[in-house]
Amino acid sequence: EPISTSYSIKHSKLQSFIQHICVSSLTDSSTKLIECSTNSFSPESVRLVGGAGLCSGRVEVKSNQSWASVCEADFDRQDAEVVCGELGCGAPAALQGGLYGEGEGQTWDKEFQCKGKESLLLDCDTSDRENNTCLPGNAVGLTCSEPDDVRLVGGGSRCAGGVVWYDQGEWRTVGAEDWDVAAVVCRQLGCGSTVSVLLGDTTRAFRLSCYGSESSLRECSRSYDLSPGLTVICSESVRLVDGAGLCSGRVEVKSNQSWASVCEADFDQQDAEVVCGEFGCGAPAALQGGLYGEGGGQTWDKEFQCKGNESLLLDCDTSDRKHNTCLPGNAVGLTCSEPDDVRLVGGGSRCAGGVEWYDQGEWRTVGADDGDQRDVAAVVCRQLGCGSTVSVLPGNTTRGKNIICSGSEPSLRDCYRMYDLLPGLTVICSGNNNRL
């Protein structure tokens, strides 16, 4: 008689593919046969839909091979604890009907009765629903806190230091030389925007690659080639949101562990100078209400009174706001000029020459692969305000750090940096090519 064995695999990444696998029967010829019945095979039994990441969304469960939303009345805090744990997230932070919209399909017709200790929602008891209908707006949405699996160490605060990630039972150094990874770390820790990214200590670590929009590091891709550790400094108190790069966006400040937009009337040129300097950007170029949209949360209730020479916005004085309300369209947006950390040398003008980048206290040659040179050049010309690229030529024999850009970035520091060295490149831009 064939012997059937069913088992489950619980892992935050595998969860979306496999929940219960049934392996059946080993024949005399040692050929493995997979014979899974509908009772013993159940791919992914719960998911969160329409949220910002893996740990938030509308709760949906698998029912007769299709997905069904769950009514708020049938799902309580203990049920939420099980789902958050099953997905590898932290504790439930918000549980509310309609929080992530309505599902288009059916509604689950049972009430969950979890005790909160179960590993899987499938393990919880259920009962018939007391009410036969679920009114519109009651499809339950769940926000779990992000897992407490990332921290910055050795930097003097929780928002600065070397990046380490709790993985497979131990804290491991994260390797990358990438502002996108740093942006995700700062976001996951609730530490605002990235201020600087530096090479960490000599410890070699597995490499992560992120797009920069992920809500946590575990949504990024991981490769097993080793890179030097990464040190990140985040801004604990201020961030720029919804801008085109690191140096532009709607100004938001930290208030009672949540982010608040700032009213245009409470933020002036001197305040802007401090924020631009805190992010390592150039001088303020534009300051206007509504420039980068309205924030979805609260509005900061103080007026900043910076002198312009402070290192951090936190160091500035504040006073009570003169006006009690901030009218729609007045959430202040700020555009800082790009940092003065790129130059073209040896070409007779500021818009022509070999590309150099000021990094870790010194000017370094920038290298690029043949296929990436025009994209890198486009970013350099844009950052310098030198128009478009006229030509890209082989540079001198000095080998430089390999930079990879898509061509649309506002500055080189938004590009991806590799660890191999390539010959430097010489760029000629269209703008201001008068000889010096």
Side-chain angles (χ1 to χ4, degrees):
E1 291 292 323
I3 300 174
S4 296
T5 305
S6 65
Y7 59 93
S8 66
I9 296 177
K10 179 174 180 288
H11 186 283
S12 60
K13 289 292 186 186
L14 294 181
Q15 197 85 37
S16 60
F17 300 103
I18 303 172
Q19 191 117 336
H20 284 269
I21 296 177
C22 165
V23 179
S24 165
S25 173
L26 192 64
T27 66
D28 292 339
S29 61
S30 296
T31 302
K32 291 184 179 179
L33 301 178
I34 309 300
E35 297 175 354
C36 299
S37 70
T38 55
N39 292 328
S40 58
F41 180 75
S42 177
E44 192 187 10
S45 61
V46 62
R47 66 182 185 182
L48 298 179
V49 181
L54 296 169
C55 293
S56 63
R58 183 176 62 256
V59 180
E60 294 188 353
V61 295
K62 201 69 167 286
S63 174
N64 296 323
Q65 303 306 308
S66 61
W67 290 99
S69 57
V70 177
C71 195
E72 182 180 17
D74 302 328
F75 194 87
D76 63 14
R77 175 83 184 188
Q78 289 177 306
D79 306 328
E81 288 173 358
V82 174
V83 171
C84 290
E86 181 171 349
L87 298 177
C89 304
L95 180 66
Q96 180 183 327
L99 188 60
Y100 293 102
E102 293 296 303
E104 296 180 356
Q106 58 183 320
T107 302
W108 178 248
D109 60 358
K110 302 285 185 182
E111 180 179 351
F112 287 104
Q113 296 179 329
C114 301
K115 298 179 175 65
K117 302 174 184 177
E118 296 87 350
S119 299
L120 304 171
L121 190 64
L122 277 178
D123 297 333
C124 296
D125 293 332
T126 60
S127 63
D128 292 333
R129 179 194 290 163
E130 294 179 3
N131 303 311
N132 289 328
T133 58
C134 185
L135 296 176
N138 285 315
V140 70
L142 171 62
T143 302
C144 311
S145 57
E146 292 295 336
D148 186 21
D149 59 358
V150 173
R151 63 187 184 188
L152 297 175
V153 296
S157 85
R158 63 177 297 272
C159 292
V163 184
V164 292
W165 186 12
Y166 193 74
D167 179 56
Q168 299 180 40
E170 62 180 302
W171 288 98
R172 301 171 183 261
T173 301
V174 170
E177 196 172 341
D178 189 344
W179 281 82
D180 290 332
V181 173
V184 176
V185 170
C186 293
R187 181 180 302 114
Q188 181 171 349
L189 292 174
C191 288
S193 301
T194 308
V195 173
S196 67
V197 181
L198 305 170
L199 281 178
D201 55 32
T202 56
T203 303
R204 307 284 289 181
F206 63 83
R207 179 183 292 183
L208 288 179
S209 297
C210 306
Y211 291 107
S213 59
E214 297 87 350
S215 59
S216 67
L217 277 190
R218 66 183 190 141
E219 295 175 43
C220 301
S221 62
R222 178 165 37 167
S223 61
Y224 289 93
D225 51 329
L226 296 179
S227 303
L230 180 72
T231 293
V232 173
I233 299 175
C234 312
S235 169
E236 296 185 57
S237 58
V238 62
R239 67 183 185 182
L240 298 177
V241 182
D242 293 338
L246 297 167
C247 292
S248 64
R250 184 175 61 255
V251 179
E252 294 189 352
V253 296
K254 199 72 167 285
S255 175
N256 297 323
Q257 301 307 307
S258 61
W259 291 98
S261 56
V262 177
C263 196
E264 182 181 15
D266 302 327
F267 194 87
D268 63 14
Q269 180 76 11
Q270 289 177 305
D271 306 328
E273 289 173 0
V274 174
V275 171
C276 290
E278 184 169 347
F279 288 135
C281 303
L287 180 66
Q288 181 183 328
L291 188 61
Y292 293 102
E294 294 296 303
Q298 58 183 320
T299 302
W300 177 247
D301 59 359
K302 302 285 186 182
E303 180 179 349
F304 287 104
Q305 296 178 329
C306 301
K307 298 178 177 65
N309 57 3
E310 296 88 348
S311 299
L312 304 172
L313 190 64
L314 272 179
D315 297 334
C316 296
D317 293 331
T318 60
S319 63
D320 291 333
R321 180 193 289 162
K322 295 176 183 177
H323 309 285
N324 289 328
T325 59
C326 186
L327 297 176
N330 284 315
V332 69
L334 171 62
T335 302
C336 311
S337 56
E338 291 299 332
D340 187 20
D341 60 357
V342 172
R343 67 184 183 185
L344 297 176
V345 297
S349 89
R350 63 177 296 274
C351 292
V355 183
E356 291 187 348
W357 187 9
Y358 193 75
D359 180 50
Q360 300 181 51
E362 62 181 297
W363 287 98
R364 301 169 183 261
T365 299
V366 170
D369 187 81
D370 291 347
D372 297 314
Q373 288 182 355
R374 292 203 69 85
D375 289 331
V376 173
V379 175
V380 170
C381 293
R382 181 180 301 115
Q383 181 171 349
L384 292 175
C386 286
S388 57
T389 307
V390 174
S391 64
V392 183
L393 307 170
N396 56 35
T397 56
T398 303
R399 296 180 73 81
K401 188 150 290 185
N402 182 14
I403 303 294
I404 300 175
C405 305
S406 68
S408 61
E409 296 87 351
S411 70
L412 272 193
R413 67 173 184 163
D414 291 298
C415 300
Y416 188 73
R417 215 179 333 182
M418 303 292 286
Y419 291 93
D420 51 328
L421 296 178
L422 294 176
L425 70 157
T426 294
V427 173
I428 300 175
C429 309
S430 63
N432 189 23
N433 271 309
N434 294 325
R435 300 190 66 84
L436 299 177

